[in-house]
Amino acid sequence: MKTVLITGASSGIGKEFATIFAKEKYRIILASRNEQKMKKTAQHLKQTYQVETHYVAVDLAKSNGPELLYNHVKENNLEVDVLVNNAGKGSFGPLHELDIQTELDMIQLNVHSLSHLMMLFLKDMVKRDSGRILNIGSTTSFYPCPLSANYSASKAFVLYLTEAVAAELQGTHVSVTALCPGATTTEFFQHAKMNNQRVSKKEDTMDPAKVAEIGFQALMKGKTYVVPGYQNWMLAQSPRLFPRNTVTKITRSVLEKTL
Ligand SMILES: NC(=O)c1ccc[n+]([C@@H]2O[C@H](COP(=O)([O-])OP(=O)(O)OC[C@H]3O[C@@H](n4cnc5c(N)ncnc54)[C@H](OP(=O)(O)O)[C@@H]3O)[C@@H](O)[C@H]2O)c1
């Protein structure tokens, strides 16, 4: 039985990944802060799909979070075949108005923690010459996003890291893929205090199950990156079509629109 470790598995896209991997009969390890939510999901997956489930409550915005998670996996003699590096959060507003510590915590989670987990598990995968990693970026991985400056920069990091490492791994049986979704119907906008922004309008956001399915297919094919949805793909191409300062004007006007 293969094993998948999914971070940020208590809700949204991560929870959908857990269902997909359970259907594929993977042993599931869920990781996030909310133990109660994960316990419920773990029980549901175990009963519905007859798979082994584990959950680890860990704060990945703390610098020791990745190592605690890695050590927990090792102490339980589990070998991770697939890492879904999904935990992440957003923020909204002009940088000078945002709380510095909250922004630093977001960078710790979206950048440091993702990279740290990737390095820890990648070493084992390369030793075995087997394994897959899926890093969750965003359409904002492709362009700077005023009013979400640190967030878009953190997601650019995810895409650059993934593309570079994917090239390093060519010729091995280890693959790294970035999933770069656009607006998706999850708790993301609520946590980022973007509920009143037009971009969060339910009719225009993608179903997280669909996003996770597209990510799963790309991961299994060993693709370097995937952008779910044609409109999102077009958005990701905008820096190729327009001058860079036009792109930031467009992204600012999109994010400014309220419901
Ligand atoms: N929704 C979108 O429009 C969208 C678009 C592009 C990219 N994304 C990316 O997709 C990924 C998943 O987000 P989502 O949309 O599914 O949002 P979500 O429903 O808010 O899920 C975020 C997940 O991350 C976990 N998390 C947050 N802070 C954490 C911490 N300090 N330590 C451990 N886990 C933590 C949360 O669990 P706990 O709160 O229980 O810890 C939750 O399971 C993120 O990387 C996000 O940036 C989302």
Side-chain angles (χ1 to χ4, degrees), residues 17-26 28 45 49 51 213:
F17 270 118
T19 303
I20 292 172
F21 279 98
K23 282 183 188 162
E24 296 289 325
K25 299 290 176 200
Y26 275 69
I28 313 280
L45 296 177
Y49 302 106
V51 289
E213 181 58 38

Side-chain angles (χ1 to χ4, degrees), residues 7-15 31-35 37-38 57-62 85-90 105 109-110 113-114 136-140 151 154-155 179-191 199 205-206 208 211:
T7 69
S10 63
S11 66
I13 300 169
K15 194 172 166 187
S32 76
R33 291 166 303 179
N34 192 317
E35 196 164 353
K37 277 194 191 174
M38 287 189 294
V58 60
D59 187 348
L60 293 171
K62 296 232 159 75
N85 234 337
N86 163 78
K89 60 182 254 187
D105 289 347
L109 176 68
N110 294 4
S113 175
L114 178 138
I136 312 303
S138 162
T139 44
T140 67
Y151 178 71
S154 76
K155 292 299 181 177
L179 166 64
C180 298
T184 306
T185 324
T186 68
E187 295 170 14
F188 176 87
F189 292 107
Q190 186 192 323
H191 294 142
V199 73
T205 56
M206 267 184 92
V211 169

Side-chain angles (χ1 to χ4, degrees), residues 38 175 219:
M38 287 189 294
S175 69
L219 172 75

Side-chain angles (χ1 to χ4, degrees), residues 55-249:
Y55 53 91
V56 189
V58 60
D59 187 348
L60 293 171
K62 296 232 159 75
S63 60
N64 64 347
E67 221 148 67
L68 288 176
L69 179 53
Y70 180 77
N71 290 342
H72 180 97
V73 167
K74 290 278 154 185
E75 282 156 16
N76 285 279
N77 295 318
L78 296 165
E79 195 168 75
V80 170
D81 298 286
V82 179
L83 166 65
V84 180
N85 234 337
N86 163 78
K89 60 182 254 187
S91 72
F92 182 72
L95 190 66
H96 65 273
E97 288 181 11
L98 297 174
D99 178 66
I100 292 179
Q101 192 54 54
T102 309
E103 288 294 291
L104 292 178
D105 289 347
M106 179 184 71
I107 295 169
Q108 183 74 36
L109 176 68
N110 294 4
V111 173
H112 289 247
S113 175
L114 178 138
S115 177
H116 195 167
L117 280 174
M118 181 168 165
M119 288 188 283
L120 287 168
F121 286 100
L122 188 59
K123 282 183 192 294
D124 293 342
M125 289 179 183
V126 169
K127 255 185 226 153
R128 298 195 309 264
D129 193 25
S130 159
R132 296 187 188 279
I133 297 177
L134 184 66
N135 292 326
I136 312 303
S138 162
T139 44
T140 67
S141 298
F142 294 88
Y143 45 77
C145 220
L147 304 177
S148 245
N150 270 327
Y151 178 71
S152 59
S154 76
K155 292 299 181 177
F157 176 92
V158 173
L159 181 60
Y160 272 48
L161 175 74
T162 306
E163 287 186 291
V165 177
E168 288 173 5
L169 294 170
Q170 265 173 23
T172 75
H173 295 99
V174 181
S175 69
V176 189
T177 303
L179 166 64
C180 298
T184 306
T185 324
T186 68
E187 295 170 14
F188 176 87
F189 292 107
Q190 186 192 323
H191 294 142
K193 300 191 175 65
M194 292 174 77
N195 265 349
N196 293 327
Q197 301 315 116
R198 173 77 174 70
V199 73
S200 72
K201 194 177 173 193
K202 200 161 183 273
E203 294 76 16
D204 298 339
T205 56
M206 267 184 92
D207 174 13
K210 178 86 188 149
V211 169
E213 181 58 38
I214 291 168
F216 178 79
Q217 295 301 338
L219 172 75
M220 290 305 156
K221 285 179 188 152
K223 286 192 174 178
T224 304
Y225 75 91
V226 64
V227 181
Y230 180 68
Q231 271 186 332
N232 291 328
W233 182 83
M234 281 302 290
L235 209 58
Q237 306 311 310
S238 58
R240 295 184 188 191
L241 305 173
F242 303 107
R244 291 185 75 79
N245 57 356
T246 307
V247 172
T248 47
K249 275 184 197 146

